[in-house]
Amino acid sequence: MRVKMSSIHVIDPALAFDFYTTTLGFEPLMVMPDYNLFIVQAPNIPDGPGLLLEPSDHPAAQAYRSALYDEGMPAIVFGVDDVAAEMERLSALGVRFTGPPATDAMGTQAVFDDGCGNYIQLHQD
């Protein structure tokens, strides 16, 4: 068994698709704008899981996304080889981080705002 697809609730799936592909570097997996359906996946992993950019228009989804955001909790964690280098790259593209990277027994982490209603954590082992 493996993860085939996961989702993240976003305020605007089309806007999120642009950010996740153009800024973060994910690749389009399925794009159906007429259905507000946008799925991306990590580059160079053709059989990897998809990430559905889920519309947050259902009251339960909106409450969940908003609660996480209001608490400053990341909605999802993305693994990277070098948190500092990724922070530098993304900061140059205008991405806003909540603070400097932190290192503990679990690795190095940094959190940024995706501009689509979520905080995202970068993690390096």
Side-chain angles (χ1 to χ4, degrees), residues 6-91:
S6 185
S7 66
I8 183 170
H9 290 276
V10 296
I11 295 170
D12 180 338
L15 179 68
F17 177 78
D18 183 55
F19 177 78
Y20 280 66
T21 55
T22 303
T23 303
L24 298 185
F26 283 83
E27 295 179 351
L29 182 60
M30 182 180 290
V31 179
M32 298 175 73
D34 292 346
Y35 297 98
N36 208 20
L37 178 63
F38 298 88
I39 304 172
V40 298
Q41 74 180 141
N44 304 318
I45 307 175
D47 233 10
L51 179 62
L52 172 61
L53 304 171
E54 186 91 43
S56 191
D57 51 2
H58 187 281
Q62 187 176 33
Y64 174 74
R65 187 201 49 73
S66 293
L68 287 179
Y69 190 84
D70 291 346
E71 292 290 325
M73 296 176 62
I76 197 165
V77 178
F78 296 146
V80 296
D81 293 331
D82 185 336
V83 166
E86 196 63 20
M87 278 186 74
E88 185 176 324
R89 180 184 82 80
L90 293 174
S91 292

Coordinates of all heavy atoms in Angstrom, one line a residue, residues 6-91:
S6 N -3.0 12.9 -2.1 CA -3.3 13.6 -0.9 C -3.9 14.9 -1.3 O -3.8 15.3 -2.5 CB -2.1 13.7 0.0 OG -2.5 14.3 1.3
S7 N -4.5 15.7 -0.4 CA -5.0 17.0 -0.8 C -4.6 18.0 0.3 O -4.3 17.7 1.4 CB -6.5 16.9 -0.9 OG -7.2 16.6 0.3
I8 N -4.7 19.2 -0.2 CA -4.5 20.4 0.7 C -5.6 21.4 0.3 O -5.9 21.6 -0.9 CB -3.1 21.0 0.6 CG1 -3.0 22.2 1.5 CG2 -2.8 21.4 -0.8 CD1 -1.5 22.7 1.7
H9 N -6.4 21.8 1.3 CA -7.5 22.8 1.0 C -6.9 24.1 0.8 O -6.0 24.6 1.6 CB -8.4 22.8 2.2 CG -9.2 21.5 2.3 ND1 -10.4 21.3 1.6 CD2 -9.0 20.4 3.0 CE1 -10.8 20.1 1.8 NE2 -10.0 19.5 2.7
V10 N -7.3 24.8 -0.3 CA -6.8 26.1 -0.7 C -8.0 27.0 -0.9 O -9.1 26.6 -1.2 CB -5.9 26.0 -1.9 CG1 -4.6 25.2 -1.6 CG2 -6.6 25.4 -3.1
I11 N -7.7 28.3 -0.8 CA -8.8 29.3 -1.1 C -9.2 29.3 -2.5 O -10.4 29.4 -2.9 CB -8.3 30.7 -0.6 CG1 -8.1 30.7 0.9 CG2 -9.3 31.8 -1.0 CD1 -7.4 31.9 1.5
D12 N -8.2 29.3 -3.4 CA -8.4 29.4 -4.9 C -7.5 28.3 -5.6 O -6.3 28.5 -5.7 CB -8.1 30.8 -5.3 CG -8.3 31.0 -6.8 OD1 -8.3 30.0 -7.6 OD2 -8.5 32.1 -7.2
P13 N -8.1 27.2 -6.0 CA -7.3 26.2 -6.7 C -6.5 26.6 -7.9 O -5.3 26.2 -8.0 CB -8.3 25.1 -7.1 CG -9.4 25.3 -6.1 CD -9.5 26.8 -5.9
A14 N -7.0 27.5 -8.7 CA -6.3 28.0 -9.9 C -5.1 28.8 -9.5 O -4.0 28.7 -10.0 CB -7.2 28.8 -10.8
L15 N -5.3 29.7 -8.5 CA -4.2 30.5 -7.9 C -3.1 29.6 -7.3 O -1.9 29.8 -7.5 CB -4.7 31.5 -6.9 CG -3.7 32.4 -6.3 CD1 -3.1 33.4 -7.3 CD2 -4.3 33.2 -5.1
A16 N -3.6 28.6 -6.5 CA -2.7 27.6 -5.9 C -1.9 26.9 -6.9 O -0.7 26.7 -6.8 CB -3.5 26.7 -5.0
F17 N -2.6 26.5 -8.0 CA -1.9 25.7 -9.1 C -0.7 26.5 -9.6 O 0.4 26.0 -9.8 CB -2.9 25.4 -10.2 CG -2.2 24.7 -11.4 CD1 -1.9 23.3 -11.3 CD2 -2.0 25.4 -12.5 CE1 -1.3 22.7 -12.4 CE2 -1.4 24.7 -13.6 CZ -1.0 23.4 -13.5
D18 N -1.0 27.8 -9.9 CA 0.1 28.7 -10.4 C 1.2 28.8 -9.4 O 2.4 28.6 -9.8 CB -0.5 30.1 -10.7 CG 0.6 31.0 -11.3 OD1 1.2 30.6 -12.3 OD2 0.8 32.1 -10.7
F19 N 1.0 29.0 -8.1 CA 2.0 29.1 -7.1 C 2.8 27.8 -7.0 O 4.0 27.7 -7.0 CB 1.4 29.5 -5.8 CG 2.4 29.5 -4.7 CD1 3.3 30.6 -4.6 CD2 2.5 28.5 -3.8 CE1 4.2 30.7 -3.5 CE2 3.5 28.6 -2.7 CZ 4.3 29.6 -2.6
Y20 N 2.0 26.7 -6.9 CA 2.7 25.4 -6.7 C 3.5 24.9 -7.9 O 4.5 24.2 -7.7 CB 1.7 24.3 -6.3 CG 1.3 24.4 -4.8 CD1 0.6 25.5 -4.3 CD2 1.6 23.4 -3.9 CE1 0.3 25.6 -3.0 CE2 1.2 23.4 -2.6 CZ 0.6 24.5 -2.1 OH 0.3 24.6 -0.8
T21 N 3.1 25.3 -9.1 CA 3.9 24.9 -10.3 C 5.0 26.0 -10.5 O 6.2 25.6 -10.7 CB 3.0 24.7 -11.5 OG1 2.3 25.9 -11.7 CG2 2.1 23.5 -11.3
T22 N 4.6 27.2 -10.6 CA 5.6 28.3 -11.0 C 6.6 28.6 -9.9 O 7.8 28.6 -10.2 CB 4.9 29.6 -11.4 OG1 3.9 29.3 -12.4 CG2 5.8 30.6 -11.8
T23 N 6.2 28.7 -8.7 CA 7.1 29.1 -7.6 C 7.7 27.9 -6.9 O 9.0 27.8 -6.7 CB 6.3 29.9 -6.6 OG1 5.8 31.1 -7.2 CG2 7.3 30.4 -5.5
L24 N 6.9 26.9 -6.6 CA 7.5 25.7 -5.8 C 8.1 24.7 -6.7 O 9.0 23.9 -6.3 CB 6.4 25.1 -5.0 CG 5.8 26.0 -3.9 CD1 4.8 25.2 -3.0 CD2 6.8 26.6 -3.0
G25 N 7.7 24.6 -8.0 CA 8.3 23.7 -8.9 C 7.7 22.4 -9.1 O 8.2 21.5 -9.7
F26 N 6.4 22.2 -8.6 CA 5.7 21.0 -8.8 C 5.3 21.0 -10.3 O 5.2 22.0 -11.0 CB 4.4 21.0 -7.9 CG 4.7 20.6 -6.5 CD1 5.1 21.6 -5.6 CD2 4.6 19.3 -6.1 CE1 5.4 21.3 -4.3 CE2 4.9 19.0 -4.8 CZ 5.3 19.9 -3.9
E27 N 5.0 19.8 -10.8 CA 4.6 19.6 -12.2 C 3.1 19.3 -12.2 O 2.5 18.6 -11.3 CB 5.3 18.4 -12.8 CG 6.8 18.7 -12.9 CD 7.6 17.5 -13.5 OE1 7.0 16.4 -13.7 OE2 8.8 17.8 -13.8
P28 N 2.4 19.7 -13.3 CA 1.0 19.4 -13.4 C 0.8 17.9 -13.6 O 1.5 17.3 -14.3 CB 0.6 20.2 -14.7 CG 1.7 21.2 -15.0 CD 2.9 20.6 -14.3
L29 N -0.2 17.4 -12.9 CA -0.6 16.0 -13.1 C -2.0 15.9 -13.8 O -2.2 15.2 -14.7 CB -0.6 15.3 -11.8 CG -0.9 13.8 -11.8 CD1 0.1 13.0 -12.6 CD2 -1.0 13.2 -10.4
M30 N -2.9 16.8 -13.4 CA -4.2 16.8 -14.0 C -4.7 18.3 -13.8 O -4.7 18.8 -12.7 CB -5.2 15.9 -13.3 CG -6.6 15.9 -14.0 SD -7.7 14.7 -13.2 CE -7.0 13.2 -13.7
V31 N -5.2 18.8 -14.9 CA -5.7 20.2 -14.9 C -7.0 20.2 -15.7 O -7.1 20.0 -16.9 CB -4.7 21.2 -15.6 CG1 -5.2 22.6 -15.6 CG2 -3.3 21.1 -14.9
M32 N -8.1 20.5 -14.9 CA -9.4 20.6 -15.5 C -10.1 21.9 -14.9 O -10.9 21.8 -14.0 CB -10.2 19.4 -15.2 CG -9.6 18.1 -15.7 SD -10.5 16.6 -15.2 CE -12.0 16.8 -16.2
P33 N -9.7 23.1 -15.5 CA -10.2 24.3 -14.9 C -11.7 24.4 -14.9 O -12.3 25.0 -14.0 CB -9.6 25.4 -15.8 CG -8.5 24.7 -16.6 CD -8.8 23.3 -16.6
D34 N -12.4 23.8 -15.9 CA -13.9 23.9 -15.9 C -14.5 23.2 -14.7 O -15.6 23.5 -14.3 CB -14.4 23.2 -17.2 CG -14.1 24.0 -18.4 OD1 -13.7 25.1 -18.3 OD2 -14.2 23.4 -19.5
Y35 N -13.8 22.3 -14.0 CA -14.2 21.6 -12.9 C -13.5 22.0 -11.6 O -13.7 21.4 -10.5 CB -14.1 20.1 -13.0 CG -14.9 19.5 -14.2 CD1 -14.3 19.3 -15.4 CD2 -16.2 19.3 -14.0 CE1 -15.1 18.8 -16.5 CE2 -17.0 18.8 -15.0 CZ -16.4 18.6 -16.3 OH -17.2 18.1 -17.3
N36 N -12.7 23.1 -11.7 CA -11.9 23.6 -10.6 C -11.0 22.5 -10.0 O -10.8 22.4 -8.8 CB -12.8 24.2 -9.5 CG -12.1 25.3 -8.8 OD1 -11.1 25.9 -9.2 ND2 -12.7 25.6 -7.6
L37 N -10.5 21.7 -10.9 CA -9.7 20.5 -10.5 C -8.2 20.7 -10.9 O -8.0 20.8 -12.1 CB -10.3 19.2 -11.1 CG -9.5 17.9 -10.8 CD1 -9.6 17.6 -9.3 CD2 -10.1 16.8 -11.7
F38 N -7.4 20.7 -9.9 CA -5.9 20.9 -10.2 C -5.2 20.0 -9.3 O -5.3 20.0 -8.1 CB -5.5 22.4 -9.9 CG -6.2 23.4 -10.7 CD1 -7.4 23.9 -10.3 CD2 -5.7 23.8 -11.9 CE1 -8.1 24.9 -11.1 CE2 -6.3 24.8 -12.7 CZ -7.5 25.3 -12.3
I39 N -4.4 19.1 -10.0 CA -3.5 18.2 -9.2 C -2.1 18.3 -9.7 O -1.8 18.4 -10.9 CB -4.0 16.7 -9.5 CG1 -5.5 16.6 -9.1 CG2 -3.1 15.7 -8.7 CD1 -6.1 15.2 -9.5
V40 N -1.2 18.4 -8.8 CA 0.3 18.5 -9.1 C 1.0 17.3 -8.4 O 0.5 16.6 -7.6 CB 0.8 19.9 -8.5 CG1 0.1 21.0 -9.2 CG2 0.7 20.0 -7.0
Q41 N 2.3 17.2 -8.8 CA 3.1 16.2 -8.2 C 4.5 16.7 -8.2 O 4.9 17.6 -9.0 CB 3.0 14.8 -8.9 CG 3.6 14.7 -10.2 CD 3.4 13.3 -10.8 OE1 3.2 13.2 -12.0 NE2 3.5 12.3 -10.0
A42 N 5.3 16.1 -7.4 CA 6.7 16.5 -7.3 C 7.4 16.2 -8.6 O 7.1 15.2 -9.3 CB 7.4 15.7 -6.2
P43 N 8.4 17.0 -9.0 CA 9.1 16.8 -10.3 C 10.0 15.5 -10.1 O 10.4 15.2 -9.0 CB 9.9 18.0 -10.5 CG 10.1 18.6 -9.1 CD 8.8 18.2 -8.3
N44 N 10.3 14.9 -11.2 CA 11.2 13.8 -11.3 C 10.7 12.5 -10.5 O 11.5 11.7 -10.2 CB 12.6 14.2 -10.8 CG 13.1 15.3 -11.6 OD1 13.0 15.4 -12.9 ND2 13.7 16.3 -11.0
I45 N 9.5 12.5 -10.2 CA 8.9 11.3 -9.5 C 7.6 10.9 -10.3 O 6.5 11.2 -9.8 CB 8.6 11.5 -8.0 CG1 9.8 12.1 -7.3 CG2 8.1 10.2 -7.4 CD1 9.6 12.4 -5.9
P46 N 7.8 10.4 -11.5 CA 6.6 10.2 -12.4 C 5.5 9.3 -11.8 O 4.3 9.4 -12.1 CB 7.2 9.5 -13.6 CG 8.6 9.1 -13.3 CD 9.0 9.9 -12.1
D47 N 5.9 8.4 -10.9 CA 4.9 7.5 -10.2 C 4.5 7.9 -8.8 O 3.9 7.2 -8.1 CB 5.4 6.1 -10.2 CG 4.4 5.1 -10.8 OD1 3.5 5.5 -11.4 OD2 4.7 3.9 -10.7
G48 N 5.0 9.1 -8.5 CA 4.8 9.6 -7.1 C 3.4 10.1 -6.9 O 2.5 10.1 -7.8
P49 N 3.0 10.3 -5.6 CA 1.7 10.7 -5.3 C 1.3 12.1 -5.8 O 2.1 13.0 -6.0 CB 1.6 10.7 -3.8 CG 3.1 10.9 -3.4 CD 3.9 10.3 -4.4
G50 N 0.0 12.3 -6.1 CA -0.5 13.5 -6.5 C -0.9 14.4 -5.3 O -1.2 13.8 -4.3
L51 N -0.9 15.7 -5.5 CA -1.4 16.6 -4.5 C -2.5 17.4 -5.1 O -2.4 18.2 -6.0 CB -0.2 17.5 -4.0 CG -0.6 18.6 -3.0 CD1 -1.1 17.9 -1.7 CD2 0.5 19.5 -2.7
L52 N -3.7 17.1 -4.6 CA -4.9 17.7 -5.1 C -5.0 19.1 -4.4 O -5.0 19.1 -3.1 CB -6.2 16.9 -4.7 CG -7.5 17.5 -5.0 CD1 -7.7 17.8 -6.4 CD2 -8.6 16.5 -4.5
L53 N -5.2 20.1 -5.1 CA -5.4 21.5 -4.6 C -6.9 21.7 -4.4 O -7.6 22.1 -5.3 CB -4.7 22.5 -5.5 CG -3.2 22.2 -5.8 CD1 -2.7 23.1 -6.9 CD2 -2.4 22.4 -4.5
E54 N -7.3 21.2 -3.3 CA -8.7 21.1 -3.0 C -9.4 22.4 -2.7 O -9.0 23.2 -1.9 CB -8.9 20.2 -1.8 CG -10.3 19.8 -1.4 CD -10.7 18.5 -2.0 OE1 -9.9 17.5 -2.1 OE2 -11.8 18.5 -2.5
P55 N -10.6 22.7 -3.4 CA -11.3 23.9 -3.1 C -11.7 23.9 -1.6 O -12.2 22.8 -1.1 CB -12.5 23.8 -4.0 CG -12.2 22.9 -5.1 CD -11.2 21.9 -4.5
S56 N -11.6 25.0 -1.0 CA -12.0 25.1 0.4 C -13.3 25.7 0.6 O -13.6 26.5 1.5 CB -10.9 25.9 1.1 OG -11.0 25.8 2.5
D57 N -14.3 25.4 -0.3 CA -15.6 26.0 -0.3 C -16.6 25.3 0.6 O -17.7 25.9 0.9 CB -16.1 26.2 -1.7 CG -16.1 25.0 -2.5 OD1 -15.7 23.9 -2.0 OD2 -16.5 25.0 -3.7
H58 N -16.4 24.1 1.0 CA -17.3 23.4 1.9 C -17.0 24.0 3.3 O -15.9 24.2 3.7 CB -17.0 21.9 1.9 CG -18.0 21.1 2.7 ND1 -17.9 21.0 4.1 CD2 -19.0 20.4 2.3 CE1 -18.9 20.3 4.5 NE2 -19.6 19.9 3.4
P59 N -18.1 24.3 4.1 CA -17.9 24.9 5.4 C -16.9 24.1 6.3 O -16.2 24.7 7.1 CB -19.3 24.9 6.0 CG -20.2 24.9 4.8 CD -19.5 24.1 3.7
A60 N -17.0 22.8 6.3 CA -16.1 22.0 7.2 C -14.6 22.2 6.7 O -13.7 22.3 7.6 CB -16.5 20.5 7.2
A61 N -14.4 22.2 5.4 CA -13.1 22.3 4.9 C -12.6 23.7 5.2 O -11.4 23.9 5.6 CB -13.0 22.1 3.4
Q62 N -13.4 24.7 5.0 CA -13.0 26.1 5.3 C -12.7 26.3 6.7 O -11.7 26.9 7.1 CB -14.1 27.0 4.8 CG -13.8 28.5 4.9 CD -14.9 29.4 4.4 OE1 -16.1 29.1 4.5 NE2 -14.5 30.5 3.7
A63 N -13.5 25.7 7.6 CA -13.2 25.8 9.1 C -11.9 25.2 9.4 O -11.1 25.7 10.2 CB -14.4 25.2 9.9
Y64 N -11.6 24.0 8.9 CA -10.4 23.3 9.1 C -9.2 24.0 8.7 O -8.2 24.3 9.4 CB -10.5 21.9 8.5 CG -9.2 21.1 8.6 CD1 -8.8 20.5 9.7 CD2 -8.3 20.9 7.5 CE1 -7.6 19.8 9.9 CE2 -7.2 20.2 7.5 CZ -6.8 19.7 8.7 OH -5.6 18.9 8.8
R65 N -9.2 24.5 7.4 CA -8.1 25.2 6.8 C -7.9 26.5 7.6 O -6.7 26.8 8.0 CB -8.4 25.6 5.3 CG -7.1 26.2 4.7 CD -7.5 27.0 3.4 NE -8.6 27.9 3.6 CZ -8.5 29.0 4.3 NH1 -7.4 29.4 4.8 NH2 -9.6 29.8 4.4
S66 N -8.9 27.2 7.9 CA -8.8 28.5 8.7 C -8.2 28.3 10.1 O -7.4 29.0 10.5 CB -10.1 29.2 8.8 OG -10.6 29.6 7.5
A67 N -8.7 27.2 10.7 CA -8.2 26.9 12.1 C -6.7 26.6 12.1 O -6.0 27.1 12.9 CB -9.0 25.8 12.7
L68 N -6.3 25.8 11.1 CA -4.8 25.5 11.1 C -4.0 26.8 10.8 O -3.0 27.1 11.5 CB -4.5 24.5 9.9 CG -4.9 23.1 10.1 CD1 -4.5 22.3 8.9 CD2 -4.2 22.5 11.4
Y69 N -4.5 27.6 9.9 CA -3.8 28.8 9.5 C -3.8 29.8 10.7 O -2.7 30.4 11.0 CB -4.5 29.5 8.3 CG -3.7 30.6 7.8 CD1 -2.6 30.4 6.9 CD2 -3.9 32.0 8.1 CE1 -1.9 31.4 6.3 CE2 -3.2 33.0 7.6 CZ -2.2 32.7 6.7 OH -1.4 33.8 6.2
D70 N -4.9 30.0 11.4 CA -5.0 30.9 12.5 C -4.1 30.5 13.7 O -3.6 31.3 14.4 CB -6.4 31.0 13.0 CG -7.3 31.7 12.0 OD1 -6.8 32.4 11.1 OD2 -8.6 31.6 12.2
E71 N -3.8 29.2 13.8 CA -2.9 28.6 14.8 C -1.5 28.6 14.4 O -0.6 28.3 15.2 CB -3.4 27.2 15.2 CG -4.7 27.1 15.9 CD -4.6 27.7 17.3 OE1 -3.6 27.6 18.0 OE2 -5.6 28.3 17.8
G72 N -1.2 28.9 13.1 CA 0.1 28.9 12.6 C 0.7 27.5 12.3 O 1.9 27.3 12.3
M73 N -0.2 26.6 12.2 CA 0.2 25.2 12.0 C 0.3 24.9 10.5 O -0.6 25.2 9.7 CB -0.9 24.2 12.6 CG -1.0 24.4 14.1 SD -2.3 23.4 14.8 CE -1.7 21.7 14.3
P74 N 1.4 24.2 10.1 CA 1.5 23.8 8.7 C 0.5 22.8 8.3 O 0.2 21.9 9.1 CB 2.9 23.2 8.6 CG 3.6 23.8 9.8 CD 2.6 24.0 10.9
A75 N -0.1 23.0 7.1 CA -1.1 22.0 6.6 C -0.4 20.8 6.0 O -1.1 19.7 5.9 CB -1.9 22.7 5.5
I76 N 0.8 20.9 5.6 CA 1.6 19.8 4.9 C 3.0 20.1 5.1 O 3.5 21.2 5.3 CB 1.1 19.7 3.4 CG1 1.5 18.3 2.9 CG2 1.6 20.8 2.6 CD1 0.8 18.0 1.5
V77 N 3.8 19.0 4.9 CA 5.3 19.1 5.0 C 5.9 18.6 3.7 O 5.5 17.5 3.2 CB 5.8 18.2 6.2 CG1 7.3 18.2 6.3 CG2 5.2 18.6 7.5
F78 N 6.8 19.4 3.2 CA 7.5 19.0 2.0 C 9.0 18.8 2.3 O 9.6 19.6 3.0 CB 7.4 20.1 0.9 CG 6.1 20.4 0.4 CD1 5.7 21.7 0.0 CD2 5.1 19.4 0.2 CE1 4.4 21.9 -0.5 CE2 3.9 19.6 -0.3 CZ 3.5 20.9 -0.6
G79 N 9.5 17.6 1.9 CA 10.9 17.3 2.1 C 11.8 18.0 1.1 O 11.4 18.1 -0.1
V80 N 12.9 18.6 1.6 CA 13.9 19.2 0.7 C 15.3 18.7 1.1 O 15.5 18.3 2.2 CB 13.8 20.7 0.7 CG1 12.5 21.2 0.1 CG2 14.1 21.3 2.1
D81 N 16.3 18.8 0.2 CA 17.6 18.4 0.5 C 18.3 19.4 1.4 O 19.2 19.1 2.2 CB 18.4 18.2 -0.8 CG 17.9 17.0 -1.6 OD1 17.4 16.0 -1.0 OD2 18.1 17.0 -2.8
D82 N 18.0 20.7 1.2 CA 18.7 21.8 1.9 C 17.7 22.9 2.2 O 17.3 23.7 1.3 CB 19.8 22.3 1.0 CG 20.7 23.3 1.6 OD1 20.2 24.0 2.6 OD2 21.9 23.5 1.2
V83 N 17.2 23.0 3.4 CA 16.2 24.0 3.8 C 16.8 25.4 3.6 O 16.1 26.2 3.0 CB 15.8 23.8 5.3 CG1 15.0 25.0 5.8 CG2 14.9 22.6 5.4
A84 N 18.0 25.7 4.0 CA 18.6 27.0 3.8 C 18.6 27.4 2.3 O 18.2 28.6 2.0 CB 19.9 27.1 4.4
A85 N 19.0 26.6 1.4 CA 19.0 26.9 0.0 C 17.6 27.1 -0.5 O 17.4 28.0 -1.3 CB 19.8 25.8 -0.8
E86 N 16.7 26.3 -0.1 CA 15.3 26.4 -0.6 C 14.7 27.7 -0.1 O 14.0 28.4 -0.8 CB 14.5 25.2 -0.2 CG 13.2 25.0 -0.9 CD 13.4 24.8 -2.5 OE1 14.4 24.4 -2.9 OE2 12.4 25.1 -3.2
M87 N 15.0 28.1 1.2 CA 14.5 29.3 1.7 C 15.0 30.5 0.9 O 14.3 31.4 0.6 CB 14.9 29.5 3.2 CG 14.1 28.8 4.2 SD 14.6 29.2 5.9 CE 13.9 30.8 6.0
E88 N 16.3 30.4 0.6 CA 16.9 31.5 -0.2 C 16.2 31.6 -1.6 O 15.9 32.7 -2.0 CB 18.4 31.3 -0.4 CG 19.2 32.4 -1.0 CD 20.7 32.1 -1.1 OE1 21.2 31.6 -0.1 OE2 21.3 32.5 -2.1
R89 N 16.1 30.5 -2.2 CA 15.4 30.5 -3.6 C 14.0 31.0 -3.5 O 13.6 31.9 -4.3 CB 15.4 29.0 -4.1 CG 14.8 28.9 -5.5 CD 14.7 27.5 -6.0 NE 13.5 26.8 -5.5 CZ 12.3 26.9 -5.9 NH1 12.0 27.7 -6.9 NH2 11.3 26.2 -5.4
L90 N 13.2 30.5 -2.6 CA 11.8 30.9 -2.5 C 11.7 32.4 -2.0 O 10.8 33.1 -2.5 CB 11.0 30.0 -1.5 CG 10.9 28.6 -2.1 CD1 10.2 27.7 -1.0 CD2 10.1 28.6 -3.3
S91 N 12.5 32.8 -1.1 CA 12.5 34.2 -0.6 C 12.8 35.2 -1.8 O 12.1 36.2 -1.9 CB 13.5 34.4 0.5 OG 13.1 33.7 1.7

